[in-house]
């Protein structure tokens, strides 16, 4: 048979002890790839090819592990993009990017400074792109 605590101080002490030793029942929502991608892409910058052909400088953050790019509008079929890290001064490699997110540099250290040179498929084509980093 369970005892009922009738003394207020004893009941308060028991509740305090349970609060300290009992495991938490509420938990944060699990982090998944979709929510991580949303926060990464949510910080994307939008630029227009034609306003410039090299964009930046930007500095990487912990928001994304990679540098990603996609076309969002324009009459170009695709763009060519690379990442030029300030410490190196040259493009890493050129990547063909369409209207879906594409990684243009992987496993980038936070705090890395870079620019993004772009090229379009046909001279005179326009492209509006987003860069997430």
């Amino acid at each position: 048979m369970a005892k009922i605590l009738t003394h207020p101080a004893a009941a308060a002490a028991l509740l305090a002890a349970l609060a300290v030793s009992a495991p938490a029942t509420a938990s944060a929502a699990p982090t998944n790839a979709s929510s991580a991608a949303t926060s990464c892409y949510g910080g994307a910058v939008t630029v227009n090819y034609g306003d410039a052909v090299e964009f930046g400088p930007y500095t990487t953050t912990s928001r994304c592990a990679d540098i990603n790019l996609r076309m969002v509008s324009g009459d170009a079929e695709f763009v060519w993009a690379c990442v030029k890290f300030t410490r190196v001064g040259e493009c890493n490699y050129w990547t063909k990017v369409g209207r879906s997110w594409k990684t243009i540099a992987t496993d980038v250290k936070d705090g890395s400074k870079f620019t993004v040179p772009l090229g379009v498929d046909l001279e005179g084509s326009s492209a509006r792109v987003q860069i997430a980093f």
Side-chain angles (χ1 to χ4, degrees), residues 6 98-99:
T6 57
R99 298 195 184 262

Side-chain angles (χ1 to χ4, degrees), residues 35-125:
S35 64
T38 299
S39 66
C40 174
Y41 300 150
V45 296
T46 303
V47 297
N48 293 308
Y49 178 83
D51 292 346
V53 294
E54 185 166 338
F55 300 93
Y58 304 113
T59 303
T60 57
T61 65
S62 59
R63 187 175 49 242
C64 301
D66 304 323
I67 299 172
N68 305 282
L69 188 133
R70 74 172 175 171
M71 285 183 49
V72 291
S73 63
D75 58 7
E77 293 291 320
F78 58 86
V79 295
W80 288 100
C82 76
V83 174
K84 187 188 292 185
F85 292 102
T86 302
R87 64 179 165 71
V88 177
E90 297 178 7
C91 282
N92 56 347
Y93 50 86
W94 288 91
T95 304
K96 185 178 177 180
V97 181
R99 298 195 184 262
S100 298
W101 284 108
K102 183 93 171 202
T103 301
I104 59 174
T106 58
D107 298 323
V108 181
K109 183 178 174 181
D110 292 351
S112 299
K113 294 187 184 324
F114 68 98
T115 59
V116 179
L118 290 178
V120 291
D121 58 337
L122 293 172
E123 189 64 37
S125 294

Side-chain angles (χ1 to χ4, degrees), residues 1-53:
M1 175 178 268
K3 280 189 167 183
I4 298 175
L5 294 176
T6 57
H7 192 277
L14 178 61
L15 287 174
L18 288 174
V20 170
S21 63
T25 55
S27 64
T31 302
N32 59 33
S34 177
S35 64
T38 299
S39 66
C40 174
Y41 300 150
V45 296
T46 303
V47 297
N48 293 308
Y49 178 83
D51 292 346
V53 294

